[in-house]
Amino acid sequence: MERPPSSSSSSSSSPNEEEEDLRNLLDESDSQIDAAEQRPPPTFDVESLRSRLRRSFFKLNLTKRQCIVIFLPLLLVFVYLSTDLTNYFSSDKVPDSVFRPNHGPEEPDLRALYLLRKQETDLSSLWNRTLSVSDMKSALFRQMSLNRQIQNALLSPHKAESLGLYGGGGCRRVEHKLLKRKTIQWKPRRDKFLFAICLSGQMSNHLICLEKHMFFAALLKRTLVIPSHRFDYHYSRIIDIDRINTCLGRKVVVSFEEFWKSRKKHHHVHIDRFICYFSKPEACYVDKEHIAKLKGLGISIGGKVDSPWEEEDIAKPSNKTAEEVERSFRSDDDVIAIGDVFYANVEREWVMQPGGPLAHKCKTLVEPNRLILLTAQSNAKNPSCFYPIPQAAHCIARLVEKVDAPVIYLSTDAAESETGLLQSLLIINGKTVPFVKRPPRDSAEKWDALLYRHGLEGDSQVEAMLDKTICAMSSVFIGASGSTFTEDILRLRKDWGTASVCDEYLCQNEQPNFIADHE
């Protein structure tokens, strides 16, 4: 059925009608939007969220500076979370075996590498932690300490290592080049003897005197006669006399008993010439009592006691050369005696060099009796009377802290009350550093069994030499300035190669802060 045609009024509309229709359409659209906003949005309505964000963003109207302030921290956080900073500190792969914590003194470079690797790990750990001010200071202090260890490890190849400190920390032993020392050969002439006279001071002085006699005997090409214990100390109980001959490879020293037997055919022992080294304050530093002791041994002395130098004074000994000694004491007599040479100043640098002035194959010639040495080795555990005890304690604590010594061996004749006070004052970081002393003889203890079995117990000179030996074997040594006991220990340490770069005199370069009045 065909549709009837429309009238002309329905095919076209007026402008007023079109504007009204557009207004109605907009009102309807707004009402739909308001209704949509009143409804709860769906859970994953991404488009709606994006639309709201876009409108909110444009409403903020941010400046360029505000954008930088907001987005720069976010950018830094993103970089930090996405970057492995340890890669910037990594190096070529090195075997872990190289970085073991303990290295010998001959491996300073490996030690430094180990410490650098440890420092890298610590710094990486600090980067990823939030620290308080106090924690940061503590961490910085640890890194500074670690840096100092690295410096010491790198520098160590370029450096020169009556109180023994066992432990020693970073105190290396002093290296002496024994092969480059100046020496002379000791080759005695047949049946030519030098009788040693040593009278000044106690045992340490006598040992120094005996060493100088050995030098004199070598210069004069004579065999040295060790004095009898009825005239001097019992040297065979203190030092290893036979070892001296072994080190020289020939017979250069004899005991008084051997000397006596070799001269039996003469029915008595006769000193053909008695020569004094010093002429002041008295000839030979020998008194009538000692002359009487010599004669009591059946020894006769020929001629008068004289000196080649009329003005040689013990108080001011002059420097003498080896040539002067040879010229002044040369003699064709079979037996001569020279005394006392403890204060003699002959070729000091030559005599005092490590190993001494004589050519030999040992570290040192005058060494403790073998039994004493073994006892010291089996018992070695790891103050001067001229300083007040508090000052001495401060000086000792300073060195103990420096070398990190866990124990101190104390050799002294001070009273128990004094050593007890010293011990009570020796506190480092809140901890007392323990003292160890040679214990008294006790049949229940076995520390001195070797000496006891050989009849050497109870001898004060053997005990003194034992103390010397223990101190000479310590990692670090503190001695009393001006003490011959100390000087003999330093000689042993130097010759044995046990001397440390940290060895020093008690309160070195300091004056006592209290000096008692004289009577």
Side-chain angles (χ1 to χ4, degrees), residues 129-334:
R129 292 170 56 192
T130 301
L131 301 176
S132 64
V133 175
S134 60
D135 290 340
M136 179 61 72
K137 289 182 177 180
S138 177
L140 287 175
F141 178 79
R142 287 196 299 271
Q143 293 308 312
M144 291 167 63
S145 176
L146 191 59
N147 184 268
R148 179 59 59 85
Q149 293 181 52
I150 295 170
Q151 292 181 50
N152 290 336
L154 292 173
L155 289 174
S156 61
H158 309 286
K159 295 180 180 179
E161 253 185 61
S162 46
L163 190 65
L165 305 183
Y166 285 83
C171 293
R172 299 183 301 104
R173 289 186 174 179
V174 178
E175 296 181 2
H176 294 293
K177 298 180 179 179
L178 298 179
L179 297 178
K180 295 184 179 180
R181 61 194 180 95
K182 179 182 179 181
T183 61
I184 61 169
Q185 296 290 330
W186 187 358
K187 296 182 178 180
R189 293 174 289 167
R190 182 180 177 84
D191 293 331
K192 300 297 180 183
F193 298 92
L194 171 61
F195 199 94
I197 302 293
C198 296
L199 303 175
S200 59
Q202 299 184 21
M203 170 59 75
S204 296
N205 297 44
H206 286 228
L207 289 176
I208 294 173
C209 173
L210 198 63
E211 288 183 82
K212 292 183 178 181
H213 269 296
M214 291 165 60
F215 184 44
F216 278 47
L219 291 174
L220 301 174
K221 295 180 173 58
R222 290 179 175 271
T223 300
L224 184 66
V225 180
I226 304 296
S228 167
H229 66 276
R230 289 182 289 170
F231 175 75
D232 201 341
Y233 287 110
H234 207 317
Y235 287 103
S236 61
R237 296 166 65 95
I238 310 302
I239 62 175
D240 196 336
I241 296 176
D242 291 334
R243 181 178 172 280
I244 298 175
N245 293 322
T246 302
C247 291
L248 270 296
R250 63 184 69 90
K251 195 79 167 179
V252 293
V253 295
V254 294
S255 66
F256 178 79
E257 290 72 24
E258 290 180 90
F259 173 67
W260 181 273
K261 291 178 181 178
S262 69
R263 310 297 291 181
K264 259 187 177 181
K265 57 184 178 181
H266 302 287
H267 305 294
H268 67 283
V269 175
H270 182 71
I271 295 178
D272 301 303
R273 187 182 177 193
F274 201 129
I275 312 171
C276 298
Y277 188 91
F278 292 98
S279 53
K280 295 180 178 180
E282 57 183 337
C284 289
Y285 204 65
V286 178
D287 54 23
K288 294 181 179 179
E289 179 183 353
H290 285 94
I291 294 292
K293 283 185 177 181
L294 281 175
K295 293 180 178 179
L297 293 173
I299 300 175
S300 60
I301 302 175
K304 69 173 185 176
V305 176
D306 63 350
S307 173
W309 300 307
E310 295 181 358
E311 299 299 323
E312 192 66 15
D313 193 341
I314 284 178
K316 296 179 180 180
S318 58
N319 296 326
K320 301 293 184 183
T321 64
E323 291 74 17
E324 288 178 292
V325 170
E326 289 184 72
R327 185 172 59 252
S328 301
F329 295 94
R330 184 184 296 118
S331 173
D332 290 328
D333 295 309
D334 289 343

Side-chain angles (χ1 to χ4, degrees), residues 362-400:
C362 301
K363 290 183 177 181
T364 184
L365 284 180
V366 180
E367 197 168 80
N369 181 299
R370 181 68 177 167
L371 300 176
I372 294 176
L373 187 60
L374 292 174
T375 303
Q377 289 173 343
S378 63
N379 287 275
K381 302 177 171 36
N382 286 328
S384 170
C385 300
F386 303 108
Y387 287 90
I389 294 176
Q391 184 181 2
H394 176 73
C395 296
I396 296 171
R398 187 170 56 212
L399 182 59
V400 169

